[in-house]
Amino acid sequence: MVASCQSYCAGDLLFHVASKGNAITDVTQGMIDHVAIVVSRDSVIEAVGSGVKMTPIDSLRQQDGYYLIGKVIRADRKQSIRQARQYLGRAYDHLFLKDNEDIYCSELVQFAYVDAQGKPLFSPIAMSFHDATGNITDYWKAFYEKRGMAVPEGEPGTNPGELSQRENVKIKGRLR
């Protein structure tokens, strides 16, 4: 894998930019639908459908689109990676809820990243399941209705597109 701008380092974030829209990009900023944490030149920790796991960076090229490389400013990279490792093996949070043991990709980042004093770098935001017109999309209505739940619109959470826009994340390149 070659970074077209600058190389990635342990502790950087890789934001997946989808080549076409999907249920996540329909309700979040930009075309970013996933985020992973770089652990080494060869691997990332990510929360995906099979749960929180280590993934070879080379396998990321099998996905459509590309990745943006984000440097987290003021992060204690080593401590943040140690904290991310604590979540290995956890189930994926398909419901995107804050108060359960399962975890989704940007929630992993939110929980893992701390500064040198051990303080969290990413506070939660209000979750959004609505489109640009302010309406909750049919996809998310059906998704939660099928599970007998209300859409958790406005509940505390996070999403990868919004994380990529935080002032303490500097996009420093592109990974193909």
Side-chain angles (χ1 to χ4, degrees):
M1 274 243 193
V2 177
S4 63
C5 181
Q6 296 177 6
S7 186
Y8 55 88
C9 304
D12 283 346
L13 299 175
L14 296 181
F15 295 98
H16 181 250
V17 180
S19 62
K20 59 184 176 181
N22 57 50
I24 294 172
T25 62
D26 289 346
V27 298
T28 60
Q29 297 168 332
M31 292 296 288
I32 296 173
D33 64 359
H34 182 64
V35 60
I37 299 168
V38 176
V39 176
S40 69
R41 293 287 311 152
D42 301 322
S43 62
V44 297
I45 294 177
E46 62 180 341
V48 293
S50 59
V52 181
K53 65 179 192 166
M54 297 285 288
T55 302
I57 285 181
D58 283 344
S59 72
L60 299 179
R61 90 174 90 205
Q62 298 171 9
Q63 298 176 6
D64 71 325
Y66 59 92
Y67 283 84
L68 293 175
I69 304 165
K71 177 180 180 176
V72 183
I73 308 301
R74 297 182 306 279
D76 181 328
R77 290 170 173 259
K78 289 181 181 180
Q79 180 61 25
S80 298
I81 291 171
R82 277 194 296 275
Q83 289 196 183
R85 287 180 186 276
Q86 293 176 11
Y87 295 100
L88 287 169
R90 287 266 186 102
Y92 185 78
D93 187 357
H94 294 277
L95 299 175
F96 309 101
L97 300 175
K98 66 177 176 109
D99 293 327
N100 61 21
E101 292 294 312
D102 301 344
I103 195 162
Y104 56 94
C105 69
S106 55
E107 189 176 42
L108 175 64
V109 172
Q110 179 190 355
F111 292 166
Y113 276 79
V114 295
D115 65 15
Q117 289 74 42
K119 294 181 181 172
L121 287 174
F122 296 109
S123 57
I125 60 160
M127 294 285 279
S128 167
F129 295 87
H130 64 269
D131 60 19
T133 68
N135 295 310
I136 295 175
T137 65
D138 290 341
Y139 174 88
W140 292 112
K141 286 179 188 174
F143 178 88
Y144 284 102
E145 184 177 300
K146 182 177 177 182
R147 290 153 180 85
M149 300 172 60
V151 176
E153 178 74 13
E155 291 295 317
T158 181
N159 71 67
E162 189 275 333
L163 281 179
S164 74
Q165 300 293 315
R166 297 276 181 118
E167 71 176 33
N168 59 336
V169 174
K170 179 184 177 214
I171 301 301
K172 62 181 198 174
R174 197 177 198 183
L175 181 74
R176 292 186 186 254

